Amino acid sequence: MESNKRYIVIVGGSNSSKSYSAHQSECLSLLTAKADTLMLRKKSVDLRKSCYKLVRKNFQSWGYIPDRIAMTYSGDNRAARDKKTGREIAFVGAADIASLKSAAEYCRAVMEEADQFEFEDFLELDRRVRHPTAKVQIVLVLNPVSEDHWIKTQLIDNPAYADQVLVVHCTYHDNEYAAPEDIARLEALKDISEYDYEVYVLGKWGQIRTGKEYVHNFSFVKHVKPAPFIPGTPVHLSWDFNVNPYMTMTCYQIAPSGSGGWQVRQFDEICLEHPRNSVEAVCEEYLARYWHSYPMHLRSQGFVYGDAQGNNRIEGKSNERRYDWVKAGLRPILHNNSDRTMKHNPSVIRQRDFFNNILGGKYPIEWIIDPRCKNTIVDNQKLKQGEVGFLVEKAKDAAGTTYEKYGHCYTTESYFAIGAFSNFFEQDMNRR
């Protein structure tokens, strides 16, 4: 693997050739290696029919067995040895790692089906694989079964390993040899299991549903689709005025759908962190992206939605209100009827139920979110039901400031949904 990073994470869907490619790379490396390689499975009993079989297949196809490469699989002697250099690929299980008194001759290690290993296995391997002169590298090959897996939380997202990890993402689209029948089988998962489709087809980190999802009708497969900005079409901008972890404005357009209803298209989210977490900075960012870059006849007029508390006077600011700042910052795109903010925020339960009804198809509204809107997508996936409203999960930033980790983009979604489709919202309320 051509990288200077110590850790290579090859993660993706089924039939993406990630395992085959990783094993092929190690076989090629062995022919010029200056140190040995460890090939690992969690359970050593699985080695023969996976790692050993793949390595043998590669060397056989190249004509290196038996003249150049000696393959051995007997007891603790499990290896592919290069007769010319004496270097080898050793096949070991996780339980064998601790028994290696010294792994100083091993400069590389490959953890096949890495999601089956424990974090402690990885730490033990990381301590033992070393070499006085050769570059040390650990390769982890896996399906992204859960975003809570230690490979995601403790390795990829861990600041302690910053700049040491390369993530290689792949799907069956990267495998030119994927058979049509295998592709069809994988694509059929879209209508069978959303979790399996996300993990094994899209190669996304798995979101395990608990039954307590706040936005329970959100579906990544159904609702996350490309939604590029349409120049000249009116925009709908919804606000949340919390400044930590960011100031939030989500951006929508409404277009006719083929079924005679509407298609809501979230084309962007502007979530600015300190020191740009202000109304003024968010407005400037929006205008830079979608106003100044278009000729006059393609510039879109806009409407404003959001938290009703933004209409309250700001303490210490005389008669100023946050929406005064919004109107000043977005003046080029606004008109006399742009203000669609509510006088009072509805109850959080009514907001939740109405938004779920839209996503669930109760009304002729197709709701799509562009994949770039990562915070919005995460909110819809992560929020859990609390005693009243969603469960507030707290976090701290580097300065020690406590903030709500999720929910800022979701609240702007629900405010916009109610403001833009108030007639349907009133129908919902009247049915209670």
Side-chain angles (χ1 to χ4, degrees):
M1 185 68 64
E2 292 297 326
S3 172
N4 290 322
K5 306 289 187 182
R6 182 179 177 90
Y7 311 106
I8 310 294
V9 180
I10 305 176
V11 59
S14 293
N15 222 321
S16 59
S17 191
K18 56 185 181 296
S19 291
Y20 186 88
S21 297
H23 283 69
Q24 186 179 66
S25 176
E26 297 307 319
C27 290
L28 288 170
S29 296
L30 180 63
L31 301 177
T32 57
K34 296 181 180 179
D36 297 333
T37 298
L38 288 172
M39 193 80 71
L40 302 102
R41 286 293 303 266
K42 174 64 175 177
K43 297 180 179 178
S44 58
V45 69
D46 295 323
L47 286 163
R48 184 163 199 154
K49 293 183 178 181
S50 57
C51 300
Y52 181 82
K53 182 178 179 179
L54 267 177
V55 169
R56 185 180 183 89
K57 181 178 179 181
N58 275 297
F59 283 130
Q60 277 185 325
S61 67
W62 300 335
Y64 283 120
I65 297 175
D67 294 338
R68 173 78 182 263
I69 301 296
M71 301 293 302
T72 307
Y73 199 97
S74 176
D76 293 333
N77 184 15
R78 303 182 295 254
R81 186 173 61 85
D82 186 343
K83 296 178 180 180
K84 182 177 179 180
T85 65
R87 295 303 176 188
E88 69 176 23
I89 297 174
F91 303 95
V92 299
D96 304 322
I97 299 173
S99 65
L100 294 172
K101 293 182 179 180
S102 173
E105 287 299 310
Y106 295 97
C107 70
R108 300 183 59 75
V110 178
M111 302 173 72
E112 172 66 8
E113 301 285 357
D115 51 285
Q116 297 177 359
F117 288 80
E118 305 297 331
F119 186 45
E120 290 72 20
D121 298 327
F122 168 77
L123 292 176
E124 185 70 24
L125 179 65
D126 199 24
R127 284 191 292 267
R128 291 183 175 274
V129 176
R130 56 193 183 275
H131 196 274
T133 58
K135 178 179 67 179
V136 172
Q137 200 165 69
I138 298 177
V139 180
L140 301 90
V141 184
L142 70 147
N143 294 116
V145 291
S146 170
E147 66 169 3
D148 295 322
H149 196 280
W150 66 263
I151 294 175
K152 177 75 162 59
T153 60
Q154 299 285 355
L155 181 60
I156 296 174
D157 295 340
N158 190 343
Y161 293 105
D163 300 322
Q164 299 183 66
V165 182
L166 172 67
V167 179
V168 180
H169 179 265
C170 50
T171 68
Y172 75 76
H173 295 286
D174 300 300
N175 180 10
E176 61 179 305
Y177 301 106
E181 58 269 24
D182 291 332
I183 294 174
R185 175 179 53 81
L186 287 170
E187 286 296 336
L189 291 173
K190 183 183 292 187
D191 300 318
I192 299 171
S193 168
E194 181 168 335
Y195 169 84
D196 286 350
Y197 186 78
E198 289 188 21
V199 172
Y200 299 110
V201 180
L202 302 180
K204 287 179 54 61
W205 289 99
Q207 300 279 338
I208 299 175
R209 297 183 73 87
T210 65
K212 296 183 179 180
E213 286 73 24
Y214 196 70
V215 191
H216 57 265
N217 278 335
F218 173 77
S219 163
F220 186 96
V221 173
K222 179 180 178 182
H223 297 115
V224 179
K225 301 176 183 178
F229 176 68
I230 306 173
T233 298
V235 296
H236 305 261
L237 308 174
S238 190
W239 288 80
D240 176 82
F241 295 107
N242 283 297
V243 296
N244 292 309
Y246 40 68
M247 175 74 71
T248 305
M249 183 179 79
T250 50
C251 313
Y252 310 86
Q253 292 179 305
I254 301 175
S257 71
S259 59
W262 299 271
Q263 183 186 69
V264 172
R265 304 164 56 86
Q266 183 177 343
F267 62 90
D268 207 350
E269 61 181 19
I270 299 179
C271 303
L272 300 186
E273 300 178 356
H274 178 78
R276 300 185 65 213
N277 53 343
S278 67
V279 170
E280 294 85 351
V282 170
C283 293
E284 290 172 2
E285 182 67 24
Y286 175 82
L287 292 177
R289 295 183 191 182
Y290 299 107
W291 182 258
H292 298 306
S293 57
Y294 288 91
M296 185 61 71
H297 71 285
L298 290 179
R299 291 179 176 176
S300 299
Q301 295 297 301
F303 300 90
V304 174
Y305 307 76
D307 187 352
Q309 295 184 26
N311 285 312
N312 297 339
R313 291 185 177 88
I314 303 170
E315 186 176 349
K317 295 286 185 179
S318 185
N319 289 324
E320 292 183 48
R321 298 170 173 83
R322 288 180 174 82
Y323 283 116
D324 294 333
W325 299 347
V326 171
K327 292 171 185 176
L330 295 176
R331 182 175 288 114
I333 71 170
L334 302 183
H335 48 81
N336 291 337
N337 297 314
S338 288
D339 188 350
R340 292 188 175 179
T341 59
M342 296 173 287
K343 293 182 178 179
H344 305 284
N345 290 333
S347 74
V348 293
I349 300 304
R350 287 177 174 174
Q351 292 179 49
R352 177 203 66 189
D353 291 350
F354 181 60
F355 189 53
N356 274 301
N357 284 340
I358 290 176
L359 297 185
K362 183 175 181 179
Y363 300 109
I365 303 169
E366 179 191 10
W367 196 286
I368 64 173
I369 304 168
D370 193 274
R372 296 182 304 149
C373 302
K374 298 186 183 303
N375 292 307
T376 303
I377 295 168
V378 167
D379 275 4
N380 289 331
Q381 292 176 321
K382 285 284 193 179
L383 286 176
K384 297 292 187 288
Q385 180 64 50
E387 291 185 12
V388 178
F390 58 77
L391 186 67
V392 175
E393 184 175 340
K394 298 286 188 178
K396 284 188 178 182
D397 61 19
T401 303
T402 301
Y403 62 88
E404 294 182 15
K405 194 173 181 180
Y406 306 116
H408 306 286
C409 289
Y410 158 76
T411 56
T412 65
E413 285 181 301
S414 63
Y415 295 145
F416 163 63
I418 293 169
F421 300 100
S422 56
N423 55 328
F424 290 137
F425 180 66
E426 290 171 5
Q427 288 179 29
D428 256 25
M429 290 185 64
N430 292 335
R431 289 192 182 101
R432 290 177 179 272

